[in-house]
Amino acid sequence: VKDDRDRVVRKYEGNTTTTYQYDEKGKKPKSVEVTECFENETKITSYDGKGKPTSEVVQIRDGEKTTTQKITYKDGKKDKGSIQEDTKGKDTKVTEVSFSGAGGKSTKVTKVKEMTFDKDTGKLKTETAYKDGKVAQKTEHLKDGSEKMTHYDLKSGKKLSGSKFDSRGKGYTEHYDKQGNVEARTEVVEPGSITKETKFNKDGSKV
């Protein structure tokens, strides 16, 4: 099927549709998109004019759960990706990853970020950031508009500091010792003007 206005040619073969986008002269394809449709799976792979992959989207349907995997390529190799899980009646989960290595079986997948979105409002609920595959920071967006954040030590995996602030900027920041006990807290009593500093002993009593 041809569309001369957009210089698009589509070829249909079984479950596969291949779409060619040609240049102005109509001789060389600028991009190619291959769509494969199966009973519970749809796969769309895009290529540049030289035949190198630029992106890939795979959607898998399993009952009430739909998983969407997206991958972007750089110089023909996997660069970044995400996995989104949508299940009826549950929050949406999104995992972002990065790829490194020579490609194929030697490709290393590293988790970058995990997020959950409220099933009713679609708003971001939790966010976990990773560094070198380890948890670096966790953030919770609470229904009252406040934000709770925790930073972690990459070597030990233990909490370094934590904070909780409302939409006005009122809240606190805490620092923890190696055992995870609070050793200091800074409270913002009145945003922009009044703060309160508190230090703690190892037994939890105030200094």
Side-chain angles (χ1 to χ4, degrees):
V1 180
K2 295 184 178 180
D3 188 334
D4 294 332
R5 293 174 302 174
D6 298 322
R7 296 178 177 83
V8 173
V9 176
R10 294 184 178 87
K11 292 184 178 180
Y12 301 92
E13 186 176 353
N15 296 325
T16 303
T17 301
T18 305
T19 303
Y20 300 87
Q21 175 77 53
Y22 285 87
D23 58 18
E24 293 181 358
K25 295 181 179 180
K27 294 182 179 181
K28 294 182 179 181
K30 295 191 298 182
S31 63
V32 180
E33 183 179 275
V34 180
T35 302
E36 301 171 88
C37 298
F38 305 97
E39 184 178 357
N40 297 311
E41 181 179 328
T42 301
K43 181 179 180 181
I44 302 174
T45 307
S46 299
Y47 302 86
D48 61 18
K50 296 180 179 180
K52 291 184 178 181
T54 56
S55 67
E56 180 180 291
V57 179
V58 179
Q59 190 176 77
I60 301 171
R61 299 169 290 278
D62 183 9
E64 295 184 340
K65 180 180 179 180
T66 300
T67 303
T68 304
Q69 303 172 2
K70 297 180 180 180
I71 298 174
T72 56
Y73 290 76
K74 186 176 181 179
D75 297 325
K77 295 180 181 179
K78 292 180 179 179
D79 182 33
K80 298 178 182 179
S82 66
I83 302 171
Q84 180 171 320
E85 298 177 13
D86 294 287
T87 305
K88 186 177 180 180
K90 295 184 179 181
D91 293 335
T92 295
K93 180 181 178 181
V94 178
T95 303
E96 294 182 355
V97 298
S98 64
F99 300 92
S100 60
K105 293 183 178 179
S106 61
T107 300
K108 180 182 178 182
V109 183
T110 303
K111 191 180 292 185
V112 176
K113 186 184 295 184
E114 281 184 336
M115 296 172 285
T116 59
F117 296 85
D118 188 273
K119 59 183 176 61
D120 298 317
T121 65
K123 292 182 178 181
L124 181 64
K125 285 182 65 176
T126 65
E127 188 174 0
T128 303
Y130 294 80
K131 187 174 182 180
D132 299 326
K134 297 180 180 179
V135 177
Q137 177 181 300
K138 287 185 177 181
T139 306
E140 293 180 67
H141 302 273
L142 306 179
K143 289 185 177 181
D144 62 4
S146 59
E147 183 178 276
K148 188 177 181 181
M149 188 179 296
T150 307
H151 295 271
Y152 294 83
D153 182 271
L154 296 179
K155 291 184 179 180
S156 66
K158 294 182 178 180
K159 294 188 294 184
L160 287 175
S161 63
S163 63
K164 182 180 179 182
F165 289 91
D166 62 19
S167 58
R168 294 176 58 246
K170 183 179 179 180
Y172 63 85
T173 299
E174 294 179 333
H175 294 274
Y176 308 99
D177 60 21
K178 293 182 179 180
Q179 286 70 45
N181 300 313
V182 179
E183 60 181 6
R185 178 188 292 130
T186 301
E187 294 182 65
V188 179
V189 181
E190 191 62 38
S193 59
I194 304 175
T195 59
K196 180 181 178 182
E197 302 282 345
T198 307
K199 293 186 177 181
F200 297 84
N201 296 307
K202 291 184 178 180
D203 60 2
S205 60
K206 294 181 181 180
V207 174

